Amino acid sequence: MLNELIEKRKVVLQQSEEHKEKRNELNALASSHARERNQLNAQTREFVDDAQKNKELRDKSNNDVHRLKDERNVYNDKANALFEEIDAHKKEHGAISNNRGIKELQKQIEHLEMEQQTRVMNTEKERELIEKIKQLRLSIKDQEEELEQNKEIHTKLQEARDLRKKASELHAQVTEAAELAQKYHDLMVECYRKADKSREAADEAHKKFVEAQESADSEHNQFIACQKEIRDYDKVIGGLRKKTKKSKVTKEQKAVRKEAEQVFQQFRSGEKLTTDDILLLQRAKLI
């Protein structure tokens, strides 16, 4: 019975060590997944912060586009008003044979420039559009050179040219700001894409962390159960050992008593006792 219990205790002890080792491995794995998750979450926050910065820069550039367009339009409107006066003078005096006036040509240029900014087109189409704008500008230049011969409208023409030049400079700034806005928009989108990817990876790492932690908790509970079972075995085995030891002592005491009684009878019969005999009698409490 005792040996059987001792063997069973050994089996449970081995199981306890296995659960303990497995629990420690799973806790280490859970910690690894937790670190990975935290790093990915931090990375996600960085991507989102970068996206927000690029969004702010994009919005600022878009605001610049609107502001510069408004400024450009003011100069163009003033220039158009002067060119309208020049065209009216041209028609009144029949000084120029060209059917399309400078104002009309300029409006066509503005329309094509807006189309260049807002439409997506291939390189060949854009090159054709740029060439068309160039030809229209040449037509304006030809008319302006012809009008230069008229001293009456020379001043107005010069003022209109200055206004158009300022409008052209602002248009270049509009284009630059629009390109910057598109650049920051693309960067923002890319950062959000990276943030989504990083967030998905963080969610996956968290899922693995939870699974490992739950498995570790299960192994820990089994380890605790084994430890309790071992303590129960120890109580039973300890009791049996104590009982066996007591039984063994009782048997030894009986044997000593019997032997001592024989020696005591010999002593009473007059036999001489040895030192060992005296010690034996003392152990048996007969003297």
Side-chain angles (χ1 to χ4, degrees):
M1 177 71 174
L2 180 60
N3 291 335
E4 183 180 350
L5 289 173
I6 290 173
E7 288 302 317
K8 286 183 177 180
R9 183 186 182 280
K10 287 181 180 179
V11 173
V12 176
L13 179 61
Q14 178 62 32
Q15 291 174 346
S16 173
E17 290 300 315
E18 289 174 356
H19 288 308
K20 179 181 178 182
E21 184 178 349
K22 188 64 177 175
R23 177 201 65 188
N24 293 343
E25 289 177 0
L26 288 166
N27 276 330
L29 183 61
S31 296
S32 175
H33 288 313
R35 285 193 299 272
E36 181 185 5
R37 176 202 61 197
N38 294 341
Q39 289 172 355
L40 287 166
N41 279 332
Q43 190 178 65
T44 300
R45 286 191 292 272
E46 289 179 5
F47 284 139
V48 171
D49 288 344
D50 288 343
Q52 185 60 34
K53 290 175 184 176
N54 283 305
K55 180 178 181 296
E56 291 172 1
L57 290 170
R58 180 203 64 182
D59 293 344
K60 180 182 179 301
S61 294
N62 279 330
N63 289 334
D64 288 342
V65 168
H66 294 307
R67 176 179 56 80
L68 292 166
K69 276 185 177 180
D70 289 341
E71 291 180 25
R72 180 199 64 187
N73 292 341
V74 169
Y75 284 114
N76 275 329
D77 289 344
K78 289 180 178 180
N80 286 338
L82 289 172
F83 281 122
E84 190 171 349
E85 292 179 17
I86 294 170
D87 286 342
H89 182 277
K90 177 187 67 175
K91 290 178 181 178
E92 182 182 348
H93 294 82
I96 301 173
S97 58
N98 197 305
N99 292 325
R100 288 193 297 173
I102 296 176
K103 179 182 176 183
E104 182 183 349
L105 293 171
Q106 186 59 42
K107 283 186 176 180
Q108 190 173 358
I109 290 174
E110 290 172 12
H111 173 74
L112 292 175
E113 286 178 339
M114 180 62 68
E115 186 177 357
Q116 182 186 5
Q117 290 177 20
T118 56
R119 279 187 56 189
V120 177
M121 60 186 74
N122 56 39
T123 305
E124 184 179 353
K125 182 67 178 177
E126 187 171 10
R127 191 180 293 115
E128 289 177 3
L129 190 145
I130 292 171
E131 181 62 28
K132 193 171 183 179
I133 292 173
K134 181 181 177 182
Q135 293 301 321
L136 290 170
R137 290 191 187 281
L138 288 174
S139 295
I140 291 175
K141 185 179 179 182
D142 289 341
Q143 286 197 41
E144 288 178 348
E145 287 177 353
E146 189 173 351
L147 289 168
E148 279 284 358
Q149 306 302 319
N150 191 317
K151 294 180 179 180
E152 187 176 344
I153 61 173
H154 175 76
T155 302
K156 288 184 178 181
L157 183 58
Q158 187 58 48
E159 186 179 350
R161 282 176 176 173
D162 292 340
L163 290 168
R164 189 70 73 202
K165 181 179 179 182
K166 291 178 181 178
S168 180
E169 290 171 353
L170 286 168
H171 176 73
Q173 293 179 46
V174 167
T175 301
E176 183 180 351
E179 289 174 352
L180 275 177
Q182 186 60 48
K183 171 189 171 184
Y184 290 130
H185 176 76
D186 293 342
L187 288 171
M188 179 196 72
V189 170
E190 178 64 15
C191 286
Y192 277 131
R193 187 192 67 78
K194 289 180 178 179
D196 288 341
K197 188 176 180 181
S198 182
R199 189 180 293 110
E200 288 177 5
D203 290 344
E204 182 63 25
H206 179 69
K207 180 182 176 182
K208 291 179 179 178
F209 159 75
V210 172
E211 291 173 352
Q213 192 64 63
E214 288 176 348
S215 297
D217 291 343
S218 175
E219 292 293 335
H220 178 69
N221 291 336
Q222 293 180 72
F223 166 74
I224 295 299
C226 286
Q227 289 292 303
K228 183 179 181 300
E229 192 173 352
I230 289 171
R231 287 194 296 273
D232 292 340
Y233 274 122
D234 287 342
K235 289 178 183 178
V236 176
I237 291 171
L240 287 175
R241 281 176 172 168
K242 187 175 181 181
K243 185 176 180 181
T244 301
K245 183 178 180 181
K246 186 176 181 182
S247 176
K248 184 178 179 182
V249 170
T250 302
K251 287 180 180 179
E252 289 178 352
Q253 287 177 344
K254 286 181 179 179
V256 168
R257 179 81 180 183
K258 185 176 181 180
E259 185 180 355
E261 286 176 350
Q262 291 176 354
V263 171
F264 187 70
Q265 290 299 325
Q266 291 173 0
F267 170 69
R268 293 180 65 182
S269 300
E271 292 187 14
K272 194 174 181 180
L273 297 177
T274 65
T275 303
D276 291 338
D277 291 338
I278 294 172
L279 291 173
L280 180 61
L281 292 172
Q282 287 176 342
R283 284 177 63 193
K285 298 182 180 179
L286 292 177
I287 60 174

